[in-house]
């Protein structure tokens, strides 16, 4: 196991996840029926995320916001349902679900940036470069924590916080990302300046993960 510096995030994600654990577990209990699977929920959340990006590109901002928020709720439910079934021995063997979940998240987040960029540039003449900066920051950030997770698993220095990956917590995590993507859809006429600030925050987070991950693996 690695030290607390690598484990801890600095902003909203950990406390929000602790608050949501109980209602998500309750919802997973209701959804625990034949025919409903964690992977099915993951794919449903991905489909809604892509639909949200499409709606944003078409400048249907309210529709995009609702689809985005519902997609992220479902994204939280897939893990809660998987943990419930794993606890009583009904979970599927292996880590395929975790792989599918993180891949779907990357697709939904990237599509969301592209959808907002298309919609905001068409409706408000927003420049593209702030959104390209966000995608670049996402790329570096994702590379840092995915590389850390792989090497940490191989060397026995994993971080176990209930997620499938050894996740390096920093200032920009899932809760912050969901919030910013929703904010774009609420005030799309400010999407470009929000993107500049968000790209900077994610870039700082990427540098933090690179430094902390390197120290943790030494």
């Amino acid at each position: 196991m690695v030290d607390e510096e690598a484990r801890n995030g600095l902003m909203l994600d950990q406390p929000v996840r602790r608050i949501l654990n109980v209602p998500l577990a309750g919802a997973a209990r209701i959804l625990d029926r034949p025919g409903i699977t964690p992977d099915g929920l993951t794919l449903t959340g991905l489909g809604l995320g892509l639909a949200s990006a499409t709606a944003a590109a078409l400048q249907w901002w309210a529709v995009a916001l609702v689809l985005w928020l519902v997609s992220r709720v479902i994204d939280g439910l897939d893990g809660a349902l998987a943990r419930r079934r794993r606890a009583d021995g009904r979970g599927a063997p292996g880590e395929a679900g975790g792989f599918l979940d993180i891949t779907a998240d990357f697709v939904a987040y990237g599509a969301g940036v592209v959808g907002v960029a298309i919609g905001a540039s068409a409706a408000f003449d927003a420049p593209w470069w702030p959104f390209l900066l966000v995608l670049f920051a996402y790329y570096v950030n994702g590379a840092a924590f995915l590389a850390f997770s792989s090497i940490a698993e191989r060397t026995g220095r994993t971080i176990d916080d209930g997620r499938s990956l050894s996740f390096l917590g920093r200032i920009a995590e899932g809760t912050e990302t969901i919030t910013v993507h929703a904010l774009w859809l609420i005030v799309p006429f400010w999407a470009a300046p929000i993107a500049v600030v968000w790209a900077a925050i994610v870039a700082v987070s990427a540098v933090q993960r690179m430094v902390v991950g390197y120290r943790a693996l030494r």
Side-chain angles (χ1 to χ4, degrees):
M1 302 294 287
V2 300
D3 61 21
E4 288 299 314
E5 181 186 19
R7 185 191 306 272
N8 289 334
L10 302 179
M11 289 185 71
L12 298 175
D13 199 65
Q14 287 193 22
V16 169
R17 290 177 67 232
R18 283 194 294 267
I19 292 170
L20 292 179
N21 276 341
V22 173
L24 285 176
R29 183 171 61 253
I30 296 171
L31 289 173
D32 193 359
R33 299 288 185 271
I36 299 178
T37 66
D39 288 353
L41 291 175
T42 299
L43 293 174
T44 300
L46 172 59
L48 291 171
L50 293 175
S52 172
T54 302
L58 295 171
Q59 303 156 52
W60 300 344
W61 305 112
V63 174
L65 176 62
V66 171
L67 290 171
W68 173 250
L69 295 177
V70 173
S71 79
R72 295 307 87 194
V73 170
I74 293 176
D75 180 64
L77 287 171
D78 60 0
L81 182 59
R83 288 189 292 273
R84 175 180 173 81
R85 292 185 175 176
R86 193 180 301 120
D88 58 17
R90 294 179 295 136
E95 295 294 339
F99 169 79
L100 181 64
D101 182 58
I102 190 64
T103 304
D105 284 347
F106 270 67
V107 174
Y109 291 150
V113 175
V114 173
V116 170
I118 293 172
S121 64
F124 309 108
D125 199 27
W128 274 80
W129 63 265
F131 303 100
L132 294 177
L133 288 180
V134 171
L135 289 176
F136 176 68
Y138 279 0
Y139 175 86
V140 177
N141 198 58
F145 88 74
L146 289 174
F148 172 83
S149 180
S150 175
I151 297 171
E153 184 72 27
R154 183 165 53 84
T155 58
R157 301 181 184 184
T158 56
I159 299 173
D160 186 4
D161 64 354
R163 287 180 276 201
S164 299
L165 299 175
S166 292
F167 198 87
L168 283 169
R170 291 297 101 193
I171 63 173
E173 298 187 23
T175 299
E176 293 81 18
T177 304
I178 292 168
T179 301
V180 170
H181 280 238
L183 188 60
W184 277 332
L185 301 173
I186 295 169
V187 287
F189 41 88
W190 288 343
I194 292 171
V196 172
V197 175
W198 180 234
I201 292 173
V202 177
V204 170
S205 189
V207 172
Q208 289 177 322
R209 284 191 168 101
M210 291 166 65
V211 172
V212 173
Y214 177 79
R215 289 174 177 171
L217 293 172
R218 290 185 67 180

